[in-house]
Amino acid sequence: MADPTDKATRLEGRVVVKRINPGSKSDHEAAVLVCARGEFKLRRKGGPPFGDAELERLAGKRIRGVGLVSAGQFIVDSYEVVPGDGAT
């Protein structure tokens, strides 16, 4: 039976860079999407699991993405910056 979290999901929110998993072996700074459904570590499908400079450059911007939500992560297949939100 398929896991219900394996369905493509659309999320929109603001990207922030923050420390996640403090005190663990996975403690690191990461791009995080803050949206109405909560906070999700951002990952690009096929991208690096840590230190993704492309996603970190989105800090402060609002994005709209399509991807999978799994284990507290939003693994994006595609995303776009939402225009006109005042971010530079």
Side-chain angles (χ1 to χ4, degrees), residues 6-25:
D6 286 344
K7 294 181 181 176
T9 301
R10 293 180 187 274
L11 293 178
E12 182 175 323
R14 176 116 10 229
V15 178
V16 297
V17 174
K18 64 187 268 186
R19 184 176 174 198
I20 62 172
N21 303 317
S24 75
K25 290 189 331 182

Side-chain angles (χ1 to χ4, degrees), residues 1-2 8 13 16 21 27 48 54 57 59-60 66 73 82 84-86 88:
M1 184 172 197
V16 297
N21 303 317
D27 184 337
E54 179 178 327
R57 280 193 295 271
V66 177
Q73 299 183 82
V82 177
D85 72 346
T88 56

Side-chain angles (χ1 to χ4, degrees), residues 73-84:
Q73 299 183 82
F74 183 40
I75 304 167
V76 294
D77 291 315
S78 63
Y79 68 88
E80 64 181 349
V81 175
V82 177

Side-chain angles (χ1 to χ4, degrees), residues 53-76:
E54 179 178 327
L55 293 177
E56 290 170 1
R57 280 193 295 271
L58 296 171
K61 296 183 179 173
R62 188 166 190 82
I63 67 164
R64 182 178 302 126
V66 177
L68 299 176
V69 172
S70 178
Q73 299 183 82
F74 183 40
I75 304 167
V76 294

Side-chain angles (χ1 to χ4, degrees), residues 25-37:
K25 290 189 331 182
S26 299
D27 184 337
H28 65 287
E29 294 277 319
V32 174
L33 182 69
V34 180
C35 64
R37 285 186 50 188

